[in-house]
Amino acid sequence: MRTTSAGSASSGSATSWASPARASPTGTAPARAARKAADERLAAPIRKVPKDSDGTYGAPRVTAELRDDGGQVVNHKRVARIMQTIGIEGVRLRRQHRTTIADPAAAKAPDLTGRDFTATEVNTKYGGCITYLSVGGGKFCYLVTVIDLCPRRLAGWAIADHVRTELVTDALAIAIRTRRH
């Protein structure tokens, strides 16, 4: 039904299409109340699954358990939201491994490349990366790579069980020995 701004039916230029008014972007109050009640009913089985797994299961596994045990079809995002609401979270097995401990008193290194990682000639500009690789048992190996920025090829690398300065200088020494003239 077309209505004018005054509310009477018309075919004038000041018309708009009337549509049912919504109470909010998330739905009507009865729909929100029904969703909240359904979430509260779902919270009890969600609480039970982490207790049975010694608190190790996160939202994906809890969702799978709900589907397997009770046959409840529920979205993993909904399970995650409810778990967050009731204060349950799964165990994260991956620990953050801190590789750099900066000295606050040390001077900042200058940016010699000016954030320009392109080179027009071989052997004029190098870049690099230091990363760590898990080798099991909580142990890590550290890999340093040196890349020639013109051809974007690996110029040198070194690997060790420590991340001291010698590791970087070893990778640079290998890059110097293998560079093309």
Side-chain angles (χ1 to χ4, degrees), residues 63-114:
T63 305
E65 286 290 322
L66 290 174
R67 289 178 182 165
D68 290 346
D69 294 344
Q72 294 183 358
V73 179
V74 61
N75 187 299
H76 69 95
K77 292 178 185 178
R78 183 176 185 191
V79 171
R81 179 176 45 82
I82 294 170
M83 286 176 66
Q84 184 178 18
T85 303
I86 59 180
I88 298 174
E89 59 181 48
V91 173
R92 292 181 184 88
L93 296 178
R94 296 183 183 195
R95 291 188 336 220
Q96 287 288 13
H97 190 72
R98 191 166 181 185
T99 58
T100 304
I101 301 170
D103 181 4
K108 301 284 185 210
D111 182 5
L112 300 176
T113 62

Side-chain angles (χ1 to χ4, degrees), residues 31-47 74 78-79 81-83 85-86:
R32 284 192 309 272
R35 189 168 37 252
K36 185 176 180 181
D39 286 353
E40 288 171 1
R41 283 191 304 275
L42 192 56
I46 288 175
R47 279 190 184 97
V74 61
R78 183 176 185 191
V79 171
R81 179 176 45 82
I82 294 170
M83 286 176 66
T85 303
I86 59 180

Side-chain angles (χ1 to χ4, degrees), residues 6 15 25 27 34 36-37 41 43 47 53 56 58 62-63 67 69 76 94 115 118 121 128 149 154 159 171 173 178:
T15 61
K36 185 176 180 181
R41 283 191 304 275
R47 279 190 184 97
S53 69
T56 59
V62 170
T63 305
R67 289 178 182 165
D69 294 344
H76 69 95
R94 296 183 183 195
R115 309 296 298 163
T118 59
E121 293 181 37
L149 295 177
L154 184 66
I159 192 165
T178 60

Side-chain angles (χ1 to χ4, degrees), residues 95-161:
R95 291 188 336 220
Q96 287 288 13
H97 190 72
R98 191 166 181 185
T99 58
T100 304
I101 301 170
D103 181 4
K108 301 284 185 210
D111 182 5
L112 300 176
T113 62
R115 309 296 298 163
D116 177 21
F117 299 107
T118 59
T120 56
E121 293 181 37
V122 178
N123 299 326
T124 57
K125 206 185 281 188
Y126 292 95
C129 180
I130 302 174
T131 190
Y132 62 94
L133 309 167
S134 176
V135 292
K139 304 242 184 236
F140 293 92
C141 280
Y142 299 91
L143 173 66
V144 176
T145 58
V146 178
I147 300 166
D148 189 338
L149 295 177
C150 179
R152 304 269 183 191
R153 90 172 178 76
L154 184 66
W157 61 274
I159 192 165
D161 62 350

